[in-house]
Amino acid sequence: MTTYGFHASHEQLPPSELLRQVQAAQQAGFSRAMCSDHFAPFGPEQGESGFAWSWLGAALATTDLPFGVVNAPGQRYHPAIIAQAAATLAEMFPDRFWMAVGSGELVNEHITGERWPAKDERNARLLESVQVMRALFAGESVSHRGLVTVDRAKLWTRPASPPPIFGAAVSPETARWVGSWADGLITVNRPVEQLRPVVEAYREGGGAGKPIKLQVHLCWDRDEEKALRIAHEQWRTGILGSDVAWDLAMPAEFARATAYVRPDDMREHVLISNDPARHTQWLHEYADLGFDEIYLHHVGQDQRDFLDTFATQILPALT
């Protein structure tokens, strides 16, 4: 049976408020949570970007929820440091932490001042980083020279079970590659006919029998026009394809690239409705694709009505 989680967006809320909201999400009936890991928001209107790894310790300590995070090791983060951070959380909170990894976006990675590699090189760097982290989780002393460099690293604090490493993918091609090395897949919502090939490619690439997770961007308000305005203000950057978005360096560049986006254009990328039954139907359709976990991201900054409505009208109809 599909379980439903809350997505905590560090780009949109201060970490103190985000902590209160994830606690409220547990009270509302969400059984798990995940968060983003950004250095900068996508757009100036979002306005925040707390450090995910500090926040995760507080969130795990003050809720009973399992948590995940989407991370990009290799440039802004050295994979040995991420392995240490993940191992520490997994040791303190056994079987409650997972991580997903991707090849990164320039809006976060440019801060190092290093060259931004092409996508194929970033993928190769990601796979090297995963191999380094897994060796460290296994207790090995790791030295490595390649697209990442590691010198005699060893984790002295390790959990009894290493945290699973999921692969993030939005295209069938990347999903098939992820199937060859990841412990599971995470992807983002699109129309069902576009998501099905991603799931199938992952399974064909070696992911058959492994868990799959979905992040769903949605916007709910009692006034549908208001919901549409919120989605346009806060998440119009989501309309950009990955091949464009991963090469933009500054939030202002995202603002310029999405200046043409109209509110009605958002309906193709964010589930927008004031009807709880419509949201329930959408989520049932995603569950029917075989997703084990679905994480809901209300793209507005005020989460209260979303949590109240989903707690009373939508989550009970899904479980």
Side-chain angles (χ1 to χ4, degrees):
M1 179 180 292
T2 303
T3 57
Y4 293 87
F6 175 81
H7 174 73
S9 175
H10 282 286
E11 307 92 278
Q12 295 180 275
L13 291 170
S16 56
E17 176 60 21
L18 203 59
L19 185 61
R20 287 189 285 270
Q21 293 302 334
V22 80
Q23 293 164 353
Q26 176 175 287
Q27 295 173 355
F30 286 91
S31 62
R32 55 201 64 247
M34 64 172 287
C35 73
S36 53
D37 182 1
H38 273 239
F39 193 84
F42 290 114
E45 298 87 355
Q46 294 173 340
E48 296 288 341
S49 206
F51 185 54
W53 294 89
S54 301
W55 183 87
L56 278 163
L60 283 155
T62 58
T63 71
D64 298 321
L65 302 175
F67 273 83
V69 63
V70 182
N71 176 262
Q75 185 157 328
R76 173 171 55 122
Y77 288 123
H78 192 283
I81 297 300
I82 292 302
Q84 184 186 33
T88 296
L89 290 176
E91 193 280 332
M92 290 193 295
F93 307 102
D95 302 318
R96 286 181 56 202
F97 176 73
W98 56 270
M99 61 185 298
V101 294
S103 60
E105 296 169 302
L106 187 58
V107 69
N108 301 310
E109 310 305 322
H110 75 87
I111 62 168
T112 67
E114 297 176 9
R115 178 181 64 89
W116 181 236
K119 176 63 172 173
D120 58 348
E121 184 177 340
R122 299 203 308 274
N123 280 351
R125 181 175 68 181
L126 173 62
L127 187 54
E128 284 188 22
S129 296
V130 170
Q131 292 165 344
V132 165
M133 290 189 292
R134 283 187 168 145
L136 290 168
F137 290 151
E140 298 177 22
S141 179
V142 178
S143 292
H144 177 82
R145 298 289 186 273
L147 295 172
V148 294
T149 299
V150 186
D151 179 39
R152 294 167 291 178
K154 178 181 173 67
L155 290 183
W156 292 91
T157 294
R158 294 184 294 118
S161 299
I165 300 177
F166 284 67
V170 295
S171 70
E173 294 76 19
T174 302
R176 182 173 288 105
W177 173 67
V178 163
S180 69
W181 56 263
D183 295 321
L185 169 74
I186 187 166
T187 188
V188 296
N189 69 289
R190 272 148 293 156
V192 168
E193 62 273 14
Q194 295 178 25
L195 268 180
R196 184 175 288 109
V198 174
V199 173
E200 292 173 349
Y202 172 71
R203 290 171 173 160
E204 291 166 0
K210 298 178 183 178
I212 55 175
K213 305 176 190 282
L214 178 68
Q215 181 190 46
V216 173
H217 302 301
L218 61 89
C219 197
W220 182 89
D221 193 273
R222 299 176 194 280
D223 179 344
E224 184 156 336
E225 288 303 311
K226 182 179 177 183
L228 194 62
R229 290 195 302 272
I230 290 170
H232 180 258
E233 176 195 292
Q234 286 292 307
W235 214 252
R236 67 180 178 275
T237 54
I239 206 169
L240 299 173
S242 296
D243 55 342
V244 174
W246 65 44
D247 287 330
L248 298 179
M250 302 297 291
E253 294 177 26
F254 281 86
R256 288 193 293 272
T258 56
Y260 69 93
V261 176
R262 303 165 301 177
D264 276 337
D265 296 331
M266 299 305 303
R267 294 187 185 276
E268 297 181 24
H269 305 273
V270 177
L271 306 183
I272 302 169
S273 178
N274 66 346
D275 181 1
R278 185 71 182 105
H279 283 284
T280 302
Q281 178 187 352
W282 278 322
L283 294 172
H284 272 307
E285 290 171 357
Y286 290 139
D288 288 343
L289 289 177
F291 286 100
D292 301 283
E293 299 173 9
I294 296 179
Y295 292 84
L296 307 185
H297 173 210
H298 169 58
V299 300
Q301 291 175 311
D302 187 342
Q303 301 283 314
R304 291 170 296 181
D305 283 348
F306 156 70
L307 289 174
D308 289 345
T309 299
F310 274 64
T312 58
Q313 300 185 55
I314 297 176
L315 289 181
L318 293 170
T319 57

